[in-house]
Amino acid sequence: MEIVLLTELWLFRVLGYLALAIELWALVDCARRKPASFEATFKRTKSFWLGLTAGSAAIGALTAYFGGFGLFGLLQLVAIIAACVYLADVKPAVSEVQGSGPYGPW
């Protein structure tokens, strides 16, 4: 029984670090984009997405440090969803407006 609990603890810890990496990726990508690109795609403002991704990265750092149990686990789920929405919906639209595709600006 002890091995199962230890395995569960390490699994949650690894998933927490993976979620933190995704949230930091979303934050850094959002910080690099131009504010006009967000308004041109009608995807809210850069400050909105910067605040959302920064908040999700902060929650991810807290849950990675303290563990993802209870309320922290629920907050971590909300944070990773916010970061994934940015990466899956906003980032491609903003990249298309900025003229930088997956292989560069050509």
Side-chain angles (χ1 to χ4, degrees):
M1 188 60 127
E2 219 175 277
I3 292 177
V4 173
L5 293 176
L6 188 60
T7 304
E8 181 182 358
L9 175 71
W10 279 104
L11 179 65
F12 279 131
R13 183 142 330 246
V14 168
L15 289 175
Y17 289 136
L18 180 64
L20 177 61
I22 292 171
E23 292 156 357
L24 288 174
W25 175 27
L27 176 63
V28 169
D29 185 78
C30 183
R32 290 184 24 219
R33 303 291 174 177
K34 296 177 185 174
S37 300
F38 288 88
E39 295 167 6
T41 59
F42 303 108
K43 298 289 184 186
R44 297 267 187 157
T45 61
K46 179 180 178 173
S47 59
F48 172 81
W49 285 108
L50 199 58
L52 197 65
T53 55
S56 68
I59 290 171
L62 286 174
T63 55
Y65 183 73
F66 291 115
F69 299 107
L71 180 62
F72 279 127
L74 182 63
L75 288 176
Q76 177 64 15
L77 184 62
V78 171
I80 191 65
I81 288 172
C84 288
V85 164
Y86 172 80
L87 290 173
D89 183 40
V90 179
K91 180 181 182 284
V94 172
S95 294
E96 187 175 308
V97 168
Q98 277 188 340
S100 62
Y103 304 109
W106 41 274

